[in-house]
């Protein structure tokens, strides 16, 4: 197709009542075609599924971190409780007051503390 | 790659893809890559960057397949993703070029001249590409839908979520702009 005819075809394709499908087909025949490179599908599939496996690995890592954290946290709490109990037993001061931190506190001293006198 | 899915309809391909079937999704990519190439390359120029956007279109499609309810055609759904990503890329390029480059709007698009079996075809492709790249993006998208994809005015309005009247007025203004551009080429 000669350049002036091609230009006419392009302009004509924008007429509201033109058969755009037919014009698109004609233009494609004339060389106006677009396509992606060879192996496009494989590239897309690789990107999607390699990304999916990375996400799966990340999720597994987070899950195992949670598991390890729970194990450490529970063991730690148990160790602290045992340590506290052993200290109280050794010093012979196991009482509810000492657990609550009220061992040496008297009513008068609380009043002094609150009133500032 | 996926001979077994050649005859399968889009709905079944979508279902299989959601379940993680690579071959089914590969068939969707094969089926619609030409359509996406026309939109993306028609809007951005025939370059490597357009190819990246094309890949992004299908990656986005894969992750949004569960949201696809089948009310519209799969091709329309893909076309909308392609248009959104392409328009975002145009905006991104505009921002980049306005900040870091003295180049005009027309020069921020590039295209590689592919191999053609005749000089006439190469020239035709070059004329269309140059003309498209010089159009304003809002007109370019309408021209790409009509001229490259072969959609009717009604289909164009549906895909672009625009009233029919707006599409018609943009078509006529795009025609005027295109005439001026082609006269200078």
């Amino acid at each position: 197709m000669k350049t002036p005819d091609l230009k006419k075809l392009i302009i004509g394709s924008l007429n509201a009542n033109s058969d755009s499908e037919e014009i698109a087909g004609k233009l494609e025949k004339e060389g106006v075609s677009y396509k992606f490179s060879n192996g496009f599908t494989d590239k897309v599939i690789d990107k999607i599924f390699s990304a999916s496996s990375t996400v799966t690995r990340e999720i597994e890592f987070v899950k195992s971190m949670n598991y390890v954290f729970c194990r450490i946290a529970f063991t730690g709490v148990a160790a602290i409780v045992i340590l506290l109990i052993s200290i109280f037993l050794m010093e012979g001061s196991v009482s509810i007051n000492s657990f609550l931190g009220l061992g040496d506190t008297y009513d008068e001293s609380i009043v002094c503390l609150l009133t500032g006198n | 790659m996926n001979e077994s899915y050649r005859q399968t309809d889009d709905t079944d391909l979508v279902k299989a893809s959601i379940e993680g079937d690579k071959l089914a999704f590969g068939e969707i990519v094969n089926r619609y890559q030409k359509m996406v190439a026309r939109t993306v390359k028609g809007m951005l120029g025939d370059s490597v960057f357009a190819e990246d956007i094309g890949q992004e279109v299908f990656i986005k499609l894969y992750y949004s397949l569960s949201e696809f309810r089948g009310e519209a055609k799969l091709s329309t759904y893909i076309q909308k993703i392609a248009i959104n990503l392409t328009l975002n890329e145009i905006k991104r390029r505009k921002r980049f070029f306005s900040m870091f480059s003295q180049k005009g709007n027309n020069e921020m698009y590039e295209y590689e001249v592919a191999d053609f079996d005749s000089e006439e075809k190469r020239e035709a492709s070059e004329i269309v590409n140059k003309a498209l790249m010089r159009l304003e993006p809002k007109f370019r998208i309408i021209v790409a839908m009509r001229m490259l994809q072969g959609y009717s005015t009604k289909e164009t309005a549906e895909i672009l979520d625009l009233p029919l009247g707006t599409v018609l007025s943009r078509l006529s203004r795009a025609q005027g702009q295109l005439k001026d551009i082609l006269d200078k080429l």
Side-chain angles (χ1 to χ4, degrees):
Chain A
M1 192 184 278
K2 298 270 180 264
T3 308
D5 296 332
L6 178 78
K7 288 180 179 176
K8 243 185 223 172
L9 187 69
I10 295 171
I11 301 290
S13 73
L14 302 185
N15 286 334
N17 51 358
S18 63
D19 186 349
S20 44
E21 212 174 332
E22 193 195 326
I23 292 173
K26 270 186 191 171
L27 282 171
E28 200 171 342
K29 264 189 199 165
E30 291 305 319
V32 186
S33 68
Y34 300 92
K35 59 180 183 191
F36 293 125
S37 61
N38 292 335
F40 177 82
T41 305
D42 293 333
K43 279 182 209 162
V44 172
I45 298 291
D46 280 352
K47 273 194 179 174
I48 290 171
F49 290 94
S50 66
S52 299
S53 65
T54 310
V55 171
T56 313
R57 276 201 299 273
E58 278 170 10
I59 291 169
E60 274 170 13
F61 177 73
V62 170
K63 272 184 185 169
S64 56
M65 286 297 284
N66 278 344
Y67 177 72
V68 170
F69 174 78
C70 287
R71 294 291 294 266
I72 292 172
F74 286 130
T75 317
V77 169
I80 291 166
V81 170
I82 291 168
L83 190 69
L84 281 174
I85 291 171
S86 65
I87 289 168
F88 286 127
L89 284 177
M90 277 192 296
E91 292 186 4
S93 60
V94 183
S95 70
I96 291 174
N97 278 354
S98 62
F99 270 114
L100 297 174
L102 300 172
D104 293 324
T105 315
Y106 300 102
D107 292 345
E108 286 169 16
S109 57
I110 290 171
V111 172
C112 288
L113 198 71
L114 292 172
T115 57
N117 295 321
Chain B
M1 184 191 181
N2 34 11
E3 290 288 328
S4 56
Y5 282 113
R6 279 273 148 84
Q7 308 297 325
T8 314
D9 68 18
D10 286 352
T11 317
D12 291 336
L13 285 177
V14 169
K15 276 181 199 160
S17 302
I18 290 171
E19 284 163 13
D21 189 332
K22 277 186 196 182
L23 293 180
F25 191 69
E27 176 59 27
I28 293 179
V29 179
N30 275 340
R31 224 172 257 190
Y32 294 107
Q33 60 167 292
K34 210 170 171 192
M35 177 191 83
V36 172
R38 279 197 292 258
T39 299
V40 176
K41 291 194 168 186
M43 292 282 290
L44 295 174
D46 197 354
S47 68
V48 187
F49 301 108
E51 187 117 358
D52 288 343
I53 300 293
Q55 288 183 16
E56 222 177 290
V57 169
F58 286 105
I59 292 169
K60 199 164 181 192
L61 169 72
Y62 182 78
Y63 288 111
S64 64
L65 273 181
S66 52
E67 291 162 26
F68 176 69
R69 295 190 201 109
E71 288 159 1
K73 282 196 271 182
L74 183 64
S75 59
T76 309
Y77 190 68
I78 298 173
Q79 195 67 265
K80 283 184 178 182
I81 296 176
I83 290 166
N84 283 338
L85 288 182
T86 309
L87 290 175
N88 285 348
E89 176 64 14
I90 289 174
K91 275 184 208 160
R92 197 190 62 79
R93 282 188 194 186
K94 253 189 181 171
R95 272 201 303 270
F96 178 83
F97 275 88
S98 63
M99 271 193 282
F100 301 112
S101 173
Q102 299 296 313
K103 284 183 178 181
N105 273 359
N106 297 336
E107 288 162 89
M108 64 185 197
Y109 305 101
E110 53 193 277
Y111 52 86
E112 290 150 8
V113 181
D115 293 333
F116 291 97
D117 48 18
S118 75
E119 183 60 23
E120 240 177 30
K121 283 186 177 179
R122 193 194 62 77
E123 206 182 315
S125 171
E126 212 174 310
I127 286 173
V128 171
N129 276 320
K130 275 186 181 169
L132 276 170
M133 293 314 124
R134 288 176 192 184
L135 275 172
E136 278 178 53
K138 68 175 177 184
F139 295 139
R140 197 185 312 154
I141 187 73
I142 302 245
V143 175
M145 292 292 107
R146 291 273 300 172
M147 191 174 78
L148 305 178
Q149 303 281 14
Y151 287 127
S152 68
T153 316
K154 199 181 158 204
E155 285 169 323
T156 307
E158 252 173 52
I159 291 167
L160 297 177
D161 278 328
L162 288 173
L164 194 64
T166 310
V167 172
L168 284 169
S169 87
R170 283 191 192 173
L171 258 179
S172 123
R173 287 171 67 193
Q175 202 173 28
Q177 248 191 41
L178 208 54
K179 254 183 202 165
D180 293 341
I181 292 166
L182 287 172
D183 283 344
K184 288 173 197 158
L185 284 177

